[in-house]
Amino acid sequence: MRRKIIAGNWKMNTILAEATDLAKAISSGVNPEKSTVIFFPPFPFLQNVREVIANASNFSIGAQNLSSKEGGAYTGEVSAKMLTSIDMEYVLVGHSERREYFNEGDNILFEKLNQSFENGLKPIFCCGEPLGERSSGNHVQYVGDQIRNVLFLLTPQQLNSTIIAYEPIWAIGTGQTASPEQAQEMHLLIRDVLKEKFEPEMVESISILYGGSVNAGNALSIFGQKDVDGGLVGGASLKVNDFLDIIKAMESIG
Ligand code: PGA
């Protein structure tokens, strides 16, 4: 059975009091039993949010980014080792905003994955096509290559501790979500691509999350798809009631 995961990517939003209030309201508003809920707050609030959820079972926390370097003279960077020293469990790698605005390509993302594994962090590796690739019908090739170019370089053991998030860029923050069928098609594709290289049985155990305008209204139909194991939620993760409804939608699925 694959682990169900609902992740909230807060991006560059909230100040300290808002971050702790948000974490408090959500972790006291629901008792997830079948899924793990992961908060991704901004770096400065990681410790504070971790303290808020310390006694909330099935809540966890991670960082939105990490350095590809081990340590040293890299002003402004945050290493994997720093993150594990404050008990972070997860980290996002390759979010489309990092790829697009900070020029993170396959090589850097591979180095970031390696830093995660060496320091015991579980990465959520994000992939997904821009609108142009979807409109021209090249999305299958595009996402397949994102997977091949980076994840094929991992050992089976490393892949086994990786979570994947499929996030079509045209659906992120746009209110235009992929249909449940489109999400299912791409999740199945990602699994099939991984099976070109890795043991099918192991690939079947990997959680693949959908991201891109998930909200309280569409969560149930997307999460109900066979190969969708949860969501990476941006905008709606900042709204207490919406995020609670999204978690409840996941919990209601058998
Ligand atoms: P969104 O963002 O839910 O606001 O579309 C998703 C993401 O970027 O992870």
Side-chain angles (χ1 to χ4, degrees), residues 122-163:
K122 293 180 203 136
I124 298 187
F125 178 79
C126 308
C127 59
E129 78 285 358
L131 183 60
E133 300 292 338
R134 168 67 59 170
S135 326
S136 65
N138 195 43
H139 51 290
V140 166
Q141 183 70 38
Y142 187 93
V143 172
D145 286 347
Q146 285 181 318
I147 297 292
R148 288 184 193 95
N149 293 347
V150 181
L151 298 186
F152 276 24
L153 307 178
L154 303 183
T155 65
Q157 199 195 359
Q158 288 171 332
L159 184 76
N160 205 17
S161 52
T162 303
I163 296 159

Side-chain angles (χ1 to χ4, degrees), residues 43 46 63 65-70 74-83 86:
F43 280 132
L46 289 173
N65 186 27
L66 81 168
S67 176
S68 60
K69 308 289 186 192
E70 196 181 329
Y74 299 101
T75 303
E77 288 291 274
V78 175
S79 72
K81 206 189 215 168
M82 293 173 189
L83 294 172
I86 56 163

Side-chain angles (χ1 to χ4, degrees), residues 65-71 74 77-80 104-105 107-116 118-119:
N65 186 27
L66 81 168
S67 176
S68 60
K69 308 289 186 192
E70 196 181 329
Y74 299 101
E77 288 291 274
V78 175
S79 72
E104 294 188 4
N107 292 342
I108 295 252
L109 299 181
F110 177 59
E111 286 169 14
K112 289 188 176 204
L113 287 175
N114 272 323
Q115 284 302 320
S116 314
E118 275 170 27
N119 292 281

Side-chain angles (χ1 to χ4, degrees), residues 50-69:
R50 184 175 57 77
E51 279 160 23
V52 170
I53 59 164
N55 297 316
S57 58
N58 290 326
F59 277 86
S60 191
I61 184 163
Q64 296 173 19
N65 186 27
L66 81 168
S67 176
S68 60
K69 308 289 186 192

Side-chain angles (χ1 to χ4, degrees), residues 9 11 95 97 167 171-174 211-214 232-236:
N9 175 11
K11 308 193 181 185
H95 188 281
E97 287 149 18
E167 299 202 299
I172 296 181
T174 59
S213 297
V214 172
L232 177 54
V233 186

Side-chain angles (χ1 to χ4, degrees), residues 214-229:
V214 172
N215 60 40
N218 61 31
L220 193 59
S221 60
I222 295 175
F223 298 162
Q225 300 299 308
K226 185 173 165 291
D227 285 282
V228 178
D229 306 306

